[in-house]
Amino acid sequence: MEERVTIRELARRSGVSVGTVSRALNGYADVRPETRERIMRLASELDYTPAAAARSLVTQRSHVIGVFMETGEGHPDLQHPFFHEVLGGLKQRVGREGFDLLLFASERPGGGYGPHSYLKRARHHSVDGCALIGLDPDDSEVRRLVRGEIPCVAIDMQLEGPNTEVVMSDNEAGAAEAVRHLHGLGHRRIATITGMIDSRPGVDRLRGYRNAIQELGLAYRDEYVRYGDFYAESAREATEKLLALPEPPTAIFAAADLMAIGAVRAAAEAGLSVPADLSVVGFDDIQLAPHVNPPLTTLRQDKLGLGAAAGDALVARIAGDPERPQLRTLPVELVVRGSTAAP
Amino acid sequence: MEERVTIRELARRSGVSVGTVSRALNGYADVRPETRERIMRLASELDYTPAAAARSLVTQRSHVIGVFMETGEGHPDLQHPFFHEVLGGLKQRVGREGFDLLLFASERPGGGYGPHSYLKRARHHSVDGCALIGLDPDDSEVRRLVRGEIPCVAIDMQLEGPNTEVVMSDNEAGAAEAVRHLHGLGHRRIATITGMIDSRPGVDRLRGYRNAIQELGLAYRDEYVRYGDFYAESAREATEKLLALPEPPTAIFAAADLMAIGAVRAAAEAGLSVPADLSVVGFDDIQLAPHVNPPLTTLRQDKLGLGAAAGDALVARIAGDPERPQLRTLPVELVVRGSTAAP
DNA sequence: TTGTATGCGTTATCAT
DNA sequence: ATGATAACGCATACAA
């Protein structure tokens, strides 16, 4: 069982005080080059590693970003591919700045006193900042967190706080573009399957759909709007209903790729082929989008970019950067593949 | 700017010493009920949260599990859906035991002295244990980590260390079952697209394929084995080659669902339809498997179970549980859906 | 340029 | 049952 090598050990072995070792290691100017040299060599020989706990205790900086990430009801943790890609972007970006990610898993921080609380968990670990992914913005605990002193960034959620920023895609514009694309192809009977309507992306994409329908002079039909939950199964059912309409749509804008895939599936089950009999456009451009059959026409979200933007925001706020926009919106891009065609 | 409320503050306000507060909060027996009561109430009023850093400094336990997670070359971080589901299982399991997950992102732990090193990063944060997902088992730094004093669990990797366990699916049996399923359907010309052959699941699934081919008395053909990398694109190319053979296979066992999807795609591009003209079976049973077109016949890995098993192993090891199996293998299950049929 | 001393917020070991 | 006091490993203000 190897003993942990501490800064004290280093001091002892190199014949100087711990203060000097600390300064040498941290690159302070006021230390004789040869002393520093000696210490550095010793440190690397002994494979010295500073204890983050001790350091953060004194510096009040943990270099850790907390991540609260959940997904919709009934869909256990970490299921939607979208979130993972965002997480990947976040990880890369903050990693470059020397931060690690603490993925909160425990609900009993610090051994169990007190109720479940985001703020508490964040404080317990002294995270320098928090990323919020897939939470319920109406949760009072979430609100308490963003009202607190810890810099936060919310992804795809409408949230306000003195120290929090929001990052999301331009969902409304993207949805509108989907409809315009379909219209340009010659479609006039265009339906939509929405995401969860209590989420910001859900309502924004629906709004974009409505705006475009109106702007293009198409008649808005209530029966062409079905409510889904971002996952495949909901869209499959919705599509069934849509296709059973007396005047079924010739095209569907699904507010998520997973739902677009569910729609394609429902079409196939109804003996219809995409895009010959029905056009489908998704949203997200998940990793699989180009590989499914047919490849999905979709609105690409810059998922890595979203994560990176979130990381940027956090890092800047942590560094004390004062004026920052409260909301940053990233553009989405129409990617035309094989699931859409003229009616 | 609210001041952080510390245990000292609690002591001052409640008129006792910090020692007593600590004992009261931590449920020690030797504290007068009314004193405890008073302290507890005050703590909850002030929303006191203990500082994990301070605590772990003295207890030498951080209640944090470190996670090293990368994926294959050329595929940026966190891309393969399989890993996320495993991560989800791990998160749930250890969360219940009061652990949080530290997702290592930074390559310069503690401000930059010393080279990249898994062991160093783990020690820096004093994690109680480490989960290794999607790393290169031949990396000398990985080896150093598992040779160290920190309990480790490796998922889908062959790794040995005094304090490390390995968790994986029964890949060999699963692959063999895939081939048998195809054979049972009447297929005789059965090809395979492998995963990365330097990974344990990659070789095990290939071995399972070979065993079954032999066991069933089929001729083993070199040209029926193509090498992929677990991702869709590689399988698409492989399938193209396979279909161009003078005597093309009537069925393909792809060592991952993502690859199965790539294979289906290639078939479609060649004007072939699955399963009518070509049967395809995948491996993993990713979330999308039932929803793609056609729904995938595949070998289901218990991904949540894998993560949970890893969490179990870690928690037990951390608790000091001495004798534990070095390797635990989880069964896989054939799920027959729409991508396979008689030739 | 270097050493000393103090404190960060806890837990733990003594006394009392 | 409670209070001092000493760690834990490190950074830093101040002395020297």
Side-chain angles (χ1 to χ4, degrees):
Chain A
M1 194 60 62
E2 333 180 7
E3 288 304 308
R4 199 187 207 298
V5 23
T6 76
I7 200 174
R8 220 195 255 95
E9 172 77 2
L10 245 45
R12 204 177 54 72
R13 296 239 215 177
S14 58
V16 295
S17 73
V18 295
T20 303
V21 174
S22 176
R23 282 181 305 239
L25 257 23
N26 291 346
Y28 279 53
D30 57 354
V31 46
R32 183 145 37 109
E34 52 205 68
T35 310
R36 178 198 306 282
E37 163 68 14
R38 185 159 37 98
I39 294 175
M40 296 287 261
R41 215 183 33 241
L42 190 65
S44 108
E45 267 172 26
L46 299 184
D47 200 34
Y48 167 73
T49 311
R55 174 179 289 180
S56 82
L57 202 52
V58 31
T59 61
Q60 306 285 30
R61 285 232 154 310
S62 63
H63 278 269
V64 169
I65 303 281
V67 177
F68 289 106
M69 172 158 133
E70 292 166 14
T71 59
E73 284 292 314
H75 302 281
D77 278 281
L78 304 170
Q79 292 285 47
H80 205 294
F82 170 77
F83 294 120
H84 293 284
E85 304 197 33
V86 171
L87 183 62
L90 177 67
K91 182 185 165 202
Q92 286 181 24
R93 184 68 183 78
V94 303
R96 214 180 306 143
E97 303 292 328
F99 289 85
D100 288 306
L101 256 28
L102 186 72
L103 203 48
F104 288 105
S106 165
E107 308 220 326
R108 309 168 306 144
Y113 15 93
H116 159 107
S117 152
Y118 292 110
L119 184 53
K120 209 151 182 161
R121 294 197 263 171
R123 282 185 177 156
H124 177 234
H125 283 287
S126 310
V127 296
D128 291 342
C130 274
L132 279 32
I133 312 182
L135 302 188
D136 173 10
D138 295 326
D139 184 331
S140 66
E141 288 298 338
V142 171
R143 301 197 118 102
R144 247 184 83 215
L145 172 61
V146 299
R147 260 194 268 110
E149 75 286 358
I150 302 175
C152 289
V153 58
I155 292 155
D156 267 4
M157 282 180 285
Q158 182 69 0
L159 235 30
E160 280 172 34
N163 238 317
T164 110
E165 292 181 43
V166 171
V167 172
M168 51 183 150
S169 288
D170 194 341
N171 293 301
E172 194 171 329
E177 193 164 350
V179 175
R180 267 185 253 112
H181 165 66
L182 259 8
H183 183 266
L185 249 22
H187 292 276
R188 294 302 175 265
R189 300 208 303 271
I190 304 172
T192 188
I193 303 173
T194 75
M196 271 181 300
I197 222 58
D198 59 349
S199 79
R200 181 67 193 266
V203 310
D204 283 357
R205 289 173 202 169
L206 174 55
R207 186 179 304 127
Y209 164 85
R210 284 190 167 133
N211 291 161
I213 289 287
Q214 176 158 29
E215 162 197 310
L216 293 168
L218 297 177
Y220 174 81
R221 305 176 175 210
D222 244 354
E223 72 269 28
Y224 277 6
V225 176
R226 315 291 313 196
Y227 298 88
D229 65 0
F230 289 125
Y231 289 87
E233 191 53 32
S234 68
R236 184 173 156 189
E237 291 166 17
T239 302
E240 259 176 36
K241 304 256 174 62
L242 248 14
L243 295 177
L245 249 28
E247 204 172 23
T250 63
I252 296 178
F253 163 56
D257 284 351
L258 248 33
M259 294 203 299
I261 289 169
V264 168
R265 179 104 192 76
E269 287 170 351
L272 266 34
S273 142
V274 175
D277 308 313
L278 178 73
S279 281
V280 174
V281 14
F283 205 108
D284 285 347
D285 195 30
I286 59 175
Q287 200 195 345
L288 267 174
H291 299 113
V292 295
N293 201 6
L296 243 42
T297 292
T298 189
L299 274 302
R300 171 178 300 157
Q301 289 200 68
D302 182 4
K303 293 160 292 291
L304 256 53
L306 246 17
D312 270 342
L314 243 22
V315 170
R317 268 265 156 73
I318 291 169
D321 192 342
E323 286 311 296
R324 310 215 86 232
Q326 273 277 123
L327 165 66
R328 52 184 60 199
T329 305
L330 272 65
V332 302
E333 178 195 359
L334 176 68
V335 182
V336 179
R337 287 195 276 247
S339 64
T340 51
Chain B
M1 192 60 66
E2 334 179 8
E3 288 302 308
R4 198 184 208 299
V5 22
T6 75
I7 200 175
R8 218 191 255 97
E9 173 77 1
L10 245 44
R12 203 177 54 72
R13 298 238 216 178
S14 59
V16 296
S17 74
V18 296
T20 304
V21 174
S22 177
R23 281 179 306 235
L25 258 22
N26 291 345
Y28 280 54
D30 56 354
V31 44
R32 182 145 39 106
E34 50 205 69
T35 310
R36 180 199 305 282
E37 163 67 16
R38 185 159 37 96
I39 293 175
M40 297 288 263
R41 218 184 31 242
L42 191 65
S44 108
E45 268 173 26
L46 298 183
D47 200 35
Y48 166 73
T49 311
R55 174 179 288 180
S56 81
L57 202 53
V58 30
T59 61
Q60 307 284 30
R61 284 233 154 311
S62 61
H63 278 270
V64 168
I65 302 280
V67 177
F68 290 106
M69 172 158 135
E70 292 167 15
T71 58
E73 285 291 316
H75 302 282
D77 279 280
L78 306 169
Q79 293 285 47
H80 205 294
F82 170 77
F83 294 120
H84 294 286
E85 304 198 34
V86 172
L87 182 62
L90 177 67
K91 182 186 165 202
Q92 286 179 25
R93 185 67 183 78
V94 302
R96 214 180 307 144
E97 304 293 327
F99 289 85
D100 288 306
L101 256 27
L102 186 73
L103 201 49
F104 288 105
S106 165
E107 308 222 325
R108 309 169 305 146
Y113 16 92
H116 160 108
S117 152
Y118 293 109
L119 184 53
K120 209 151 184 164
R121 295 197 262 170
R123 283 186 177 154
H124 178 235
H125 283 287
S126 311
V127 295
D128 291 342
C130 274
L132 279 32
I133 311 181
L135 303 187
D136 173 9
D138 295 325
D139 184 330
S140 66
E141 288 297 338
V142 171
R143 300 199 118 101
R144 248 183 83 215
L145 172 61
V146 299
R147 259 194 270 109
E149 74 286 358
I150 303 174
C152 289
V153 58
I155 292 156
D156 266 7
M157 282 180 285
Q158 182 67 1
L159 233 32
E160 281 172 35
N163 237 317
T164 111
E165 291 181 42
V166 171
V167 172
M168 49 183 150
S169 288
D170 194 342
N171 293 301
E172 193 171 329
E177 193 164 349
V179 174
R180 266 185 253 113
H181 165 66
L182 259 7
H183 182 267
L185 249 22
H187 292 276
R188 294 301 175 265
R189 300 208 303 270
I190 304 172
T192 189
I193 304 174
T194 75
M196 272 182 300
I197 223 57
D198 58 350
S199 79
R200 182 65 194 267
V203 311
D204 283 357
R205 290 174 200 168
L206 175 54
R207 185 179 304 126
Y209 164 85
R210 282 190 169 135
N211 290 161
I213 289 288
Q214 177 159 28
E215 161 197 309
L216 293 168
L218 297 177
Y220 175 79
R221 305 178 176 206
D222 244 355
E223 71 271 27
Y224 276 6
V225 177
R226 316 290 316 193
Y227 297 90
D229 64 1
F230 288 123
Y231 289 87
E233 190 54 32
S234 68
R236 183 172 156 191
E237 292 167 14
T239 303
E240 259 177 35
K241 303 256 174 63
L242 247 16
L243 294 177
L245 248 28
E247 205 171 22
T250 63
I252 296 178
F253 162 56
D257 284 350
L258 249 32
M259 294 202 299
I261 288 169
V264 169
R265 179 103 192 80
E269 287 170 352
L272 265 35
S273 144
V274 175
D277 308 314
L278 178 73
S279 282
V280 174
V281 14
F283 205 110
D284 285 347
D285 195 30
I286 59 174
Q287 199 194 349
L288 266 174
H291 299 112
V292 294
N293 203 3
L296 244 41
T297 292
T298 189
L299 275 302
R300 172 178 300 156
Q301 290 200 67
D302 182 3
K303 293 160 290 291
L304 255 54
L306 247 16
D312 270 342
L314 242 22
V315 170
R317 268 265 156 73
I318 291 169
D321 191 342
E323 287 310 296
R324 309 216 86 232
Q326 275 277 125
L327 163 67
R328 51 183 61 199
T329 305
L330 271 66
V332 302
E333 178 195 1
L334 176 68
V335 182
V336 178
R337 286 195 276 248
S339 63
T340 49

